[in-house]
Amino acid sequence: MPLHLIHGPPNSGRAGLVRERLEAVSDRDPVLVVPTLDDVYAFERELCADNAALGVTATTFAGLFRLVAAVGDVPAPVELTPAQRRRAIAVAVDECRGRLGALRSSAGRAGFAGAFERLLEELQAGGLRPGDVEAGAGTLESSAYLTDVATLFAEYEAVRERIGMADSHGVARRAIALLTESPTAWQRPVFMYGLDDLTANQFGLLGALTANGEVTFVLPYEEGHAAIAARTAALLERLRALGVGSETQTEPDPRHTDDPLLFHLERSFGRAIAERRPPTAGLAVLRSAGERGEAEAIGAEVARLLAGGGDPGEVAIALRSPERRGPLLASVLESYGIPVALEAEIPLTATSLGGTLLSLLAALQGGSAGELLRFMRGPSGLPRGQVDWFERSLRRRRLRTAAEALDLWQERYERLPTDVTAVRAAMDGPADRLAGTVARLAATMASRPLRDGDDGPAARAEDDRELRAAAATASALAELADRPALAPAADRLVATLEGIRFRAWSGPVAGRVRIASPQRLRAARFDHVFVASLQDGEFPRHERGDPFLSEAQRAALGLEARRDTEAEERYLFHACLALPRRRLFLSYRDSDENGAAEAPSPLLDDVRRLIEPPPEAGTTDADEGAVERGRDLARVVHRVGDAPSERELARAAAAHGADADLAALLAAAEVEAPVAERVAARVEAAREVDARSRAPGPLANPAALGELAAVSAYGGTTLELFDQCSYRWFVSHELDPRPLDPAPDALVQGGLMHAVLERLYGERPGGDTLPRARSLAAWKERGRALVVEEAVARGLGGNPAERAIVRRVEGLLDRFIAEEAERDGRFEPWLLEARFGEDEACERPPLDLGEWRLHGAIDRVDRDPAGRALVVDYKLAGSVTPRAKLEEQAKLQLQLYMIAVAEQWGAEPVGGLYHPLRGTRSRRPRGLALEEAAAELGPYALARTDLLDREAFDELLEDARRRAGAIVARMRQGEIRRDPGPRAALRGHDVCPSFCDFAPICRRDRAPVEPSEEDEEER
């Protein structure tokens, strides 16, 4: 019988037409095929509520294959579960790897089986068998590659047949063959709605159904609408080729959408020529900073909609990657008490249970101490205090392997944790025993958080996901244990568990906010729709290519060519635009959690071009009008519905920025004077609170200020750190966080190198004040001995990381001594680690600089026969700071040490140099020196730009004294702000140093910048 076609754009009454025709044939037991199970449930509720067609069977295409196959006389074989199919593919890859050619190396890598599973799915859905792939290989030069694919395909078929099971594609072939052989075996009318693409198997069944049955196919299509036609035009032509009995074109109807702007966006998006419409309350664009910020902004809007009487079931959030972005968004909404249905398959590895379980298995198979620690930090049931001690001990002892870590635990607590003991014992037994042990452990771990009590809706939802993960794990392992040929041994268990995915929500979605992909939502309608995470590269996605098949290979196999990525993304975005009836929210992030800029989706620009007036190129968000801010004051005042509250007005007014004229804004929005006054007061109070919350200072507590003022002396590095960023100084110097890790390698290495150099130059091996050719061997020999002595005294060498530090110091010292031996000048070492301050070990008292005092330790001071001094500051860095960038990089210590040498030791300073000990690109010391002393300092090969005449030299030292005094005054006044210091002013833009690791605490807006050489030196 011929095919009946119904096509038209979204919101054109296609669904209503389908319901009418279903009702007309309800006595013939019709079947309705829709894209997803959630669509099945939605249509069943709708049909039953209208009493339209109580006899209708709603299902997916996979369900239709099973229904058709079931009408045959021969019972269908048992289907592989997803876990069994993945394991069967992994077994096939392992068994035939030795027979592969071009793919042999790739087949041994982690992730290959998963990638091949996706290829196999496409090949089977395309109706191909191993022989078809082998035949296609003979038509191409890359035959060896496709031959390997055919070999893998055939091996999978062999594994599947050995265990006596079928897969879903076998069921599909069975259904097609049944209708081909017996066209009259199926008599029920079939309606297909919401499908915009068909695989070869699906199209084959459709063709077989139309040969002797009644099929109505409904698809979105409109001539001239590029966003729709690019996806469905080819499908429409293929359907017409089957023979069409009737074809109905539905027309767009604005009555299906409450807001005219939403209807305009759906009708105009993707068209070459489209008019512009003024903004309305139906559209809002949300701009956020960071993923959590975006989730909270969306959560707040959803909460406001529901507080106003909205139905959670009428709110949908479309995400291009719900499995990646959805869990955080769902967690935030659940913390607000909002019921959520996250329609995504989440990998087991993304859960606390999965990460903990996999870490334990990896650790027990020769893994790292970090993997064992991750197990203990998860739902392991171990006391937190014990785990804290364990982590601290691991880090400070620098233990690397799980075996070392287990020995440490056993040394302290005498026996290993129960879970560790049980899994370790099971790993030596048969595979089914191991699978059972791990399945029981998964259930136990998932239930442990429940014993701690109820912590609110977010905690309950998180516990629910963990229980789903445990159920999926237990189910998958039980399914594999049922088939001994598929049960994974210990060395394959981790890879097996990594392939497990489970649905975050699998219950009814009625009364819940749906978080799903555009593909899952495209057959439905909602009052309110959020399209979130509109970032370039995410929505739209960028083409990543096919890891297996080129276009030529696809053509040789008879597979369809890959769709144009840009057209596909625009089609999906257009589907999102067609979803809402009342309001559409478009959400994007302009920065990440650390303040680095993120690029918004170009699809937002396509929407902006449909709004009147369009934003001009180069305008800021504040200039772009209501569509960008999403909370424009006039829009809030004149929105559809009830009058806005003062709170809503205040929030909208505050969105205009701190510099906005509130009185003018409120007057322009026609807000009555008494209300305007109260709103203005609210906004000013909120801004004051916001300003106080954005920075820890200036400090006002008298006790804190008194403590800062009581500091008797300051170090040069302290002043530099404050000048770089006062907030960073405040956190690291005053709050003094205690790290779990041992001292950083660079700090340990620097301390060891400084101590060795002090002793070495103090001893003067061979009798020379500096290493010379005649004494070079003695200097090197004594230097190596001192490195060992100092390392032992500092407790270094107990682990590979510390031994590596010692070896690096030995190498750096050898190179430095050799370079020193080649220098020949009048300046020789005079002072080593010259300390001045209040400690008993100091040679001199603190340097009095008027209103404050300086303390420090100068690495080395060289002096010539005339008594002139050269300050040398060792830097364990790849490059050092030249004179021209001293202020830009907030460098003060070198200049202040030169002043200290003059005033504390009575020597005339002629220069100060940073000496790189680790440099590879340039070994030249940099800093500043008197031009008149350049000849005597010649052996250091000073850069011309580092030399100054007497006046400039003295002025630079005086400027350092003045800058240091200003910094001390700011410290004492408690001026703690998120400021990058002189770096921003001198570079001409506001930028934080890339090496700063306090960004998650500071949360200061940052611009994306490439790390400079200076930043790397500071790191």
Side-chain angles (χ1 to χ4, degrees), residues 882-887 891-892 894-896 898-899 912 927-929 945-964:
R883 190 268 309 168
K885 294 198 173 188
L886 288 174
E887 183 177 357
K891 297 298 184 184
L892 282 169
L894 194 64
Q895 304 95 297
L896 294 176
M898 292 167 65
I899 296 172
L928 69 155
T945 53
D946 289 343
L947 300 177
L948 298 168
D949 59 30
R950 172 62 69 176
E951 181 179 354
F953 184 85
D954 292 342
E955 183 179 340
L956 191 147
L957 295 185
E958 186 58 34
D959 179 67
R961 187 192 297 256
R962 177 192 55 77
R963 283 172 50 207

Side-chain angles (χ1 to χ4, degrees), residues 209 301 331 377 434 709 837:
L209 287 170
E301 291 290 348
S331 176
R377 281 294 181 201
L434 175 60

Side-chain angles (χ1 to χ4, degrees), residues 652-821:
H656 284 269
D659 297 330
D661 186 337
L662 288 178
L665 286 171
L666 293 165
E670 301 178 4
V671 178
E672 296 181 358
V675 176
E677 291 178 5
R678 292 194 295 269
V679 169
R682 278 175 174 262
V683 173
E684 290 296 344
R687 286 177 178 173
E688 183 179 349
V689 171
D690 183 64
R692 287 199 303 268
S693 67
R694 287 181 177 273
L699 302 180
N701 187 293
L705 293 175
E707 188 171 336
L708 290 175
V711 175
S712 59
Y714 301 84
T717 53
T718 299
L719 301 178
E720 290 179 349
L721 181 59
F722 189 95
D723 202 23
Q724 285 174 346
C725 177
S726 57
Y727 183 81
R728 186 166 179 264
W729 167 83
F730 180 72
V731 172
S732 62
H733 193 273
E734 295 300 310
L735 299 184
D736 192 21
R738 301 296 177 88
L740 286 174
D741 291 326
D745 288 358
L747 190 60
V748 175
Q749 187 172 308
L752 179 59
M753 187 74 166
H754 278 69
V756 169
L757 285 173
E758 179 184 9
R759 290 184 60 184
L760 186 62
Y761 277 87
E763 293 182 10
R764 300 181 178 182
D768 291 325
T769 57
L770 284 168
R772 295 289 182 253
R774 60 180 177 273
S775 59
L776 180 58
W779 277 76
K780 286 189 173 184
E781 182 180 356
R782 183 54 183 157
R784 296 189 194 102
L786 288 174
V787 170
V788 174
E789 289 178 17
E790 283 292 329
V792 171
R794 294 163 184 259
L796 301 177
N799 56 69
E802 292 176 350
R803 290 193 289 273
I805 290 175
V806 175
R807 288 194 298 271
R808 284 197 297 270
V809 170
E810 287 176 343
L812 293 174
L813 183 64
D814 263 7
R815 183 174 65 175
F816 176 74
I817 292 172
E819 291 173 348
E820 286 276 86

Side-chain angles (χ1 to χ4, degrees), residues 21 110 201 246 372 409 443 448 484 600 728 794 839 912:
R21 297 194 180 187
N201 281 342
S246 67
L372 183 63
W409 183 276
R448 279 170 178 155
R728 186 166 179 264
R794 294 163 184 259
D839 294 341

Side-chain angles (χ1 to χ4, degrees), residues 886-951:
L886 288 174
E887 183 177 357
E888 179 181 321
Q889 295 181 23
K891 297 298 184 184
L892 282 169
Q893 182 171 272
L894 194 64
Q895 304 95 297
L896 294 176
Y897 282 176
M898 292 167 65
I899 296 172
V901 167
E903 299 191 13
Q904 298 284 68
W905 280 272
E908 177 194 0
V910 295
L913 299 177
Y914 292 116
H915 200 304
L917 300 179
R918 192 175 58 85
T920 54
R921 295 188 303 273
S922 174
R923 305 284 299 148
R924 173 187 289 181
R926 302 300 299 271
L928 69 155
L930 273 172
E931 195 171 24
E932 63 193 52
E936 289 83 354
L937 298 173
Y940 284 100
L942 299 179
R944 186 74 187 91
T945 53
D946 289 343
L947 300 177
L948 298 168
D949 59 30
R950 172 62 69 176
E951 181 179 354

Side-chain angles (χ1 to χ4, degrees), residues 142-216:
S142 56
S143 58
Y145 183 87
L146 283 184
T147 298
D148 281 356
V149 173
T151 301
L152 289 164
F153 195 169
E155 189 64 34
Y156 161 74
E157 295 271 89
V159 171
R160 182 182 55 74
E161 290 172 4
R162 281 203 305 269
I163 59 178
M165 301 182 75
D167 56 24
S168 61
H169 301 287
V171 174
R173 290 194 300 271
R174 175 186 174 88
I176 295 170
L178 175 65
L179 289 187
T180 302
E181 296 169 2
S182 305
T184 60
W186 180 270
Q187 296 295 324
R188 302 168 66 179
V190 176
F191 292 79
M192 297 184 178
Y193 177 82
L195 304 172
D196 50 23
D197 187 26
L198 295 178
T199 66
N201 281 342
Q202 291 171 341
F203 199 82
L205 181 65
L206 176 62
L209 287 170
T210 58
N212 197 51
E214 184 178 347
V215 180
T216 302

Side-chain angles (χ1 to χ4, degrees), residues 443-454:
T444 301
M445 291 167 59
S447 66
R448 279 170 178 155
L450 301 178
R451 304 170 193 172
D452 297 332
D454 183 5

